[in-house]
Amino acid sequence: WYHVAVGIAGILCALLFIWRPVSERRKRRGIVLLFVGPLLPLVELIPGGEALTADRYAYVACFPVFLLMSRFLFRASARIRYATTIAITTGCVILSIYAYGARRRTLLWNNELAMFKNVVERYPESDIAQFNLATSCLHADLLPEARTHFSLATKLDDNYLQAWLGSGVVNADLHQCNLALGDFSKVISIAPKHTNIYAAYYHRALCYMDQGKPDLGLADLREAIRYQRDFAPAHYKLAQGLAKAGDYHNAIGEYSLALAYGYDQQACRLNRAISLGWLGNNDAAINDLNSVVKIDPSNATGWFLRGIAKSRKGVDGCADLKRAEQLGYPQAVKAIAELCQGTSTQ
């Protein structure tokens, strides 16, 4: 709105010079101001690379053109036969073309994907335009298209950190972990001390985990946490990796940190309860599972694990196991047969 106000102010000031009976010099100055005033926002924005924003304000720069044309048509109507009809017809045609263009542009502005496609068509050599289109494709779940435009952005600027990171995320989503590893490693090599470098370490860790390289994955997760202490997803994934490796003590600590930093409460408590159960701490496990089934009474895993924890503690857990069976937990039937003397659930 600041830039629009500047453009409109320039137009209004120019009109005061042009339409008032003043000297020709002041009229010429007014005409110059009429064009220069609305163009100031464009001059300010274009060097910063904001081509899309500048394109929007181009409509402000069009206003003086139409105003000046209407002035010329008005003057011509006094000298040419049928000029009034011609002037009105021409004006209507111009306004129709302008209305159509404005409508089309409005539709583009209300559709992020279409808008950025239009920008890329106009500025194909802009790495920012390619990146913005790739991001929009990613949001629309158009992964192959997103990968194409992220790749074009990195070709236009080999040090485009966000584009390499986006390319890695898309390749990981497409299960192209080898390509994703290269992208994330490129990000780390470009800016190893960047404030957001933890994201590259985190996503690279997930790729290592998918490839069956837990040691490398755990190392990257620790690096991600070193750069971003409160990054809850890294704590959660690190806890899962530690639990899978049998390090239940440290896994419990990481689940607790993930929970403290706002990760999904149900997932953290459920998995922490499993690690607590492996260590024989059934009381703490039951406390976590109480929260799980309270948050989601349809969580069959929570009911089943709480029934097992109660049975290990010497408390009757058959009601929980039967509830898990009703919810379709497959191992509940066997557990009931072993711990509840085959009691029927009917």
Side-chain angles (χ1 to χ4, degrees):
W1 286 111
Y2 161 74
H3 296 97
V4 174
V6 170
I8 293 175
I11 295 171
L12 294 177
C13 291
L15 293 178
L16 292 176
F17 282 105
I18 294 174
W19 264 260
R20 289 178 61 190
V22 295
S23 66
E24 287 298 321
R25 175 180 291 184
R26 296 186 69 182
K27 282 188 178 182
R28 285 195 297 271
R29 290 176 181 175
I31 292 174
V32 172
L33 183 60
L34 182 67
F35 283 93
V36 172
L39 288 173
L40 287 176
L42 306 184
V43 174
E44 178 183 348
L45 290 166
I46 290 174
E50 297 291 340
L52 177 62
T53 308
D55 186 52
R56 295 186 181 192
Y57 292 121
Y59 277 103
V60 179
C62 289
F63 294 154
V65 177
F66 288 116
L67 288 172
L68 205 58
M69 288 179 66
S70 67
R71 179 64 173 171
F72 290 151
L73 291 172
F74 176 76
R75 288 180 176 177
S77 64
R79 302 177 184 177
I80 304 174
R81 190 179 183 184
Y82 305 119
T84 302
T85 303
I86 295 172
I88 292 173
T89 303
T90 306
C92 289
V93 171
I94 292 172
L95 288 175
S96 298
I97 294 172
Y98 178 72
Y100 171 77
R103 181 177 181 276
R104 182 172 181 272
R105 182 60 62 188
T106 301
L107 292 174
L108 288 175
W109 291 348
N110 291 330
N111 184 327
E112 184 183 84
L113 188 60
M115 178 173 62
F116 285 123
K117 282 183 177 178
N118 180 256
V119 175
V120 167
E121 289 174 1
R122 299 180 64 180
Y123 311 103
E125 297 302 316
S126 169
D127 55 332
I128 296 175
Q130 295 289 352
F131 173 78
N132 287 335
L133 178 55
T135 303
S136 296
C137 290
L138 180 59
H139 292 162
D141 205 26
L142 301 173
L143 298 184
E145 292 86 346
R147 179 166 63 178
T148 297
H149 292 288
F150 276 131
S151 178
L152 289 171
T154 58
K155 288 179 180 177
L156 291 167
D157 182 358
D158 190 54
N159 291 321
Y160 201 157
L161 190 75
Q162 292 86 350
W164 282 111
L165 184 60
S167 178
V169 171
V170 171
N171 282 322
D173 288 343
L174 291 172
H175 306 291
Q176 299 288 330
C177 276
N178 287 329
L179 295 175
L181 287 172
D183 292 337
F184 296 132
S185 297
K186 178 70 173 179
V187 172
I188 294 169
S189 67
I190 293 172
K193 302 298 182 182
H194 193 276
T195 54
N196 293 326
I197 201 66
Y198 68 91
Y201 280 111
Y202 173 74
H203 288 290
R204 192 172 73 170
L206 299 186
C207 287
Y208 281 138
M209 294 290 193
D210 288 342
Q211 288 188 335
K213 301 175 181 178
D215 291 340
L216 293 174
L218 294 176
D220 270 0
L221 288 170
R222 290 190 176 96
E223 282 296 302
I225 292 170
R226 186 168 72 87
Y227 283 100
Q228 189 73 15
R229 178 64 181 169
D230 60 350
F231 188 37
H235 285 288
Y236 182 77
K237 291 295 182 181
L238 179 57
Q240 285 187 314
L242 292 170
K244 190 174 182 179
D247 187 358
Y248 299 114
H249 284 287
N250 287 319
I252 291 168
E254 292 299 330
Y255 281 129
S256 299
L257 287 171
L259 187 62
Y261 291 133
Y263 201 76
D264 181 71
Q265 185 174 166
Q266 187 175 177
C268 287
R269 291 188 179 278
L270 182 65
N271 284 282
R272 187 170 67 178
I274 294 172
S275 292
L276 288 166
W278 280 109
L279 294 177
N281 192 345
N282 294 307
D283 289 328
I286 290 170
N287 286 335
D288 270 344
L289 293 168
N290 287 340
S291 298
V292 170
V293 297
K294 184 177 180 180
I295 294 169
D296 182 11
S298 64
N299 190 316
T301 305
W303 288 105
F304 176 78
L305 292 175
R306 193 174 75 168
I308 295 296
K310 286 181 177 180
S311 298
R312 289 176 177 173
K313 191 183 173 184
V315 179
D316 183 12
C318 292
D320 287 349
L321 294 174
K322 291 174 182 178
R323 177 63 174 159
E325 183 190 19
Q326 291 171 356
L327 292 170
Y329 197 79
Q331 286 83 8
V333 176
K334 182 179 179 181
I336 291 171
E338 293 177 353
L339 301 173
C340 306
Q341 295 78 42
T343 303
S344 173
T345 61
Q346 303 299 320

